[in-house]
Amino acid sequence: MILATLFLTALSGTARAEIFTAYLTPAQEVPPVASTATGYARIVVNEGTGALTFTVVFNGLSSNQTASHIHAPAAIGANVGVAINFGAVGGTSGTISGSTTITPTQLGQLRQGLGYVNVHSVNFTGGEIRGQLAKQRPVDTDGDGRTDMSMLQFPNVAPPGVSPITWWNRNTTGPTQIVGWGNANTDFPVPGDFDGDGVGDIGIYRDGATAGAQSEFWILQSSNNAVRYFAWGVSGDEAHQRDYDGDGITDVCVVRRGVITADQMTWYIRNSSDGSVRVEGFGLTGDTAGGTSGDFPVAGDYDGDGKFDVAVYRFTLPPANNFIIKRSSDSVITFRQFGNFTTDYILPGDYDGDGKYDLAVARTGATGTSPLQWWILQSATGTTRTQTFGISNDFPVQGDYDGDTRTDLAVVRRGATTGAQNFYWVYNSFTLSPSVTGWGVRENFSVNRFDSR
């Protein structure tokens, strides 16, 4: 259990930089090598100055480390020469850290998913562990470049009593993280990296108690275990925190609907890079009472510029079943019909690893045991990928669980009875094979569902 000292702090106006991470394994070497070593890399880039700082952690090499670099431009499965040198510290386990510079061209390559980190050793001069660099993954609470499995556990205490939340995070580089944080009767999980250290923070959004009352973000920062508080939004707003200014820090954001169907929705974004407030009218309110028409927020980096775009999925209202996106790179608004809100989960993500979000849905069937059919419009090729994975009773929890930069198809299957085991089913994009992990019980709530409709 983490006990944090309450520390209320205002948003900083200091500019931060983009953060890229990579999960390093022997299997990602081309060709793969026979080793049990692992590692991860965390790269911080300041676009304005061209400064790059790096941390590379490696464990269990078969022989002493001899070199490490960023190689670019190359996609997964391809080799290319050295772009940026990190140097050597020797040993079979260790940490390489320092600073250097990066060119605008090289930064663009990282944003496109065309850079990888390679750690070389005496036995494997061409590289023993390797990983593709990409923007931070959702729900990565240990900062190793892989999405973790996170469950919320809470006692059944009726309002106005406090029903304390316990976060159970199945980290991929260390022991299970158990954190007491929040009240299930008032709070909703809002994962993100709010302090810019490359590690996901434990965060909740507390809706105002009465109509028009102040709402709040409460963040337990991974960098120092201090508590950060943002008074942001009012009762009835929807939290939609993302990195809208591209500085590697999650920005607090709420989406506010109007009174009638035709009213415009308003996005209130607090830019962490300079402390400014962005107010963006985008989307339509719809029927908020019945939820049968209107727009559903689906922010994502659809244009690959390192910033999340404001975007909505429109259902029932014309034009129905459309992704409507305002690109941050040029402010152009695009419409694309894809999926069906009545039958589908709306699940955008970077499934092809090109640094751009893809339009994606998973279609439910006639019964709870009917197959779940995924449809993904891949931005890299413009083609649609279809795949059956999961059943209609499952909850989609897409994320990069294998650390290869690509969003994996994933679902949580709840236990059949009270106290029964839940299971995360993941279709790993790197091996093209499914895996299953038991985590949590039926009464728990998966934090990984935060980015699903």
Side-chain angles (χ1 to χ4, degrees):
M1 185 76 66
I2 294 178
L3 299 177
T5 302
L6 184 62
F7 179 70
L8 303 185
T9 179
L11 276 165
S12 170
T14 303
R16 302 286 182 91
E18 291 181 62
I19 300 175
F20 301 86
T21 54
Y23 179 63
L24 312 178
T25 64
Q28 294 186 72
E29 292 288 351
V30 182
V33 302
S35 170
T36 58
T38 59
Y40 64 88
R42 192 173 301 137
I43 310 299
V44 181
V45 177
N46 187 311
E47 180 180 16
T49 65
L52 179 151
T53 60
F54 57 88
T55 301
V56 181
V57 177
F58 58 93
N59 297 285
L61 296 178
S62 63
S63 57
N64 286 341
Q65 183 258 352
T66 57
S68 59
H69 320 92
I70 291 178
H71 297 248
I76 298 169
N79 289 323
V80 75
V82 173
I84 297 173
N85 181 37
F86 292 157
V89 295
T92 57
S93 297
T95 300
I96 310 160
S97 60
S99 60
T100 182
T101 58
I102 188 171
T103 69
T105 297
Q106 291 170 334
L107 176 57
Q109 291 165 351
L110 298 194
R111 287 174 175 164
Q112 296 172 59
L114 296 177
Y116 64 89
V117 171
N118 208 4
V119 176
H120 307 253
S121 67
V122 172
N123 288 346
F124 296 99
T125 57
E128 185 163 347
I129 53 175
R130 163 180 165 162
Q132 207 78 10
L133 286 163
K135 298 292 290 224
Q136 290 175 269
R137 280 58 161 191
V139 199
D140 181 7
T141 53
D142 54 0
D144 72 336
R146 290 194 287 181
T147 298
D148 300 323
M149 300 172 187
S150 183
M151 283 284 185
L152 301 188
Q153 174 184 324
F154 39 82
N156 185 18
V157 178
V162 175
S163 185
I165 300 173
T166 303
W167 300 60
W168 290 77
N169 298 325
R170 186 183 177 95
N171 295 340
T172 49
T173 60
T176 299
Q177 182 187 30
I178 307 171
V179 182
W181 193 248
N183 176 5
N185 288 329
T186 60
D187 304 339
F188 185 80
V190 287
D193 181 10
F194 295 88
D195 55 7
D197 67 345
V199 179
D201 303 316
I202 305 296
I204 56 97
Y205 180 70
R206 184 165 295 165
D207 199 31
T210 58
Q214 181 73 68
S215 297
E216 305 158 343
F217 285 80
W218 290 83
I219 312 299
L220 179 59
Q221 299 185 139
S222 57
S223 57
N224 56 10
N225 284 340
V227 175
R228 201 168 191 182
Y229 161 85
F230 305 102
W232 201 253
V234 297
S235 178
D237 292 346
E238 302 168 28
H240 209 61
Q241 74 290 349
R242 301 293 189 272
D243 182 9
Y244 293 95
D245 55 8
D247 67 346
I249 300 175
T250 302
D251 304 312
V252 295
C253 169
V254 296
V255 177
R256 185 170 302 165
R257 297 181 183 273
V259 178
I260 62 175
T261 300
D263 283 348
Q264 190 173 59
M265 293 197 308
T266 305
W267 300 58
Y268 293 90
I269 301 168
R270 187 68 154 84
N271 294 311
S272 55
S273 56
D274 59 10
S276 63
V277 178
R278 173 183 170 192
V279 181
E280 184 89 31
F282 194 77
L284 297 177
T285 293
D287 176 13
T288 56
T292 57
S293 66
D295 291 349
F296 172 74
V298 288
D301 186 5
Y302 296 93
D303 54 5
D305 68 346
K307 302 176 183 179
F308 274 70
D309 309 313
V310 295
V312 296
Y313 189 85
R314 180 161 297 169
F315 55 103
T316 304
L317 296 175
N321 295 318
N322 266 255
F323 281 86
I324 307 175
I325 300 163
K326 183 176 181 180
R327 300 191 305 229
S328 57
S329 56
D330 56 14
S331 296
V332 170
I333 297 174
T334 65
F335 293 74
R336 180 63 187 256
Q337 189 171 20
F338 197 78
N340 186 326
F341 196 82
T342 303
T343 57
D344 301 349
Y345 287 101
I346 313 303
L347 307 169
D350 186 7
Y351 293 86
D352 55 11
D354 68 343
K356 298 179 182 180
Y357 264 44
D358 306 313
L359 312 187
V361 301
R363 182 157 300 166
T364 58
T367 69
T369 57
S370 297
L372 198 60
Q373 185 74 21
W374 296 66
W375 298 74
I376 302 165
L377 180 59
Q378 300 174 116
S379 57
T381 62
T383 59
T384 300
R385 168 190 170 194
T386 60
Q387 186 160 345
T388 300
F389 190 74
I391 59 175
S392 296
N393 272 345
D394 295 337
F395 294 105
V397 289
Q398 77 276 20
D400 184 10
Y401 293 88
D402 57 7
D404 70 345
T405 77
R406 294 174 288 199
T407 300
D408 303 315
L409 283 60
V411 296
V412 164
R413 187 165 300 168
R414 299 177 66 197
T417 58
T418 300
Q421 178 83 75
N422 292 332
F423 291 93
Y424 280 79
W425 287 83
V426 178
Y427 188 81
N428 298 283
S429 54
F430 186 72
T431 60
L432 299 180
S433 63
S435 61
V436 58
T437 304
W439 192 244
V441 295
R442 179 179 174 83
E443 304 90 276
N444 297 163
F445 177 86
S446 174
V447 179
N448 303 63
R449 289 172 56 190
F450 86 102
D451 211 12
S452 304
R453 189 282 280 186

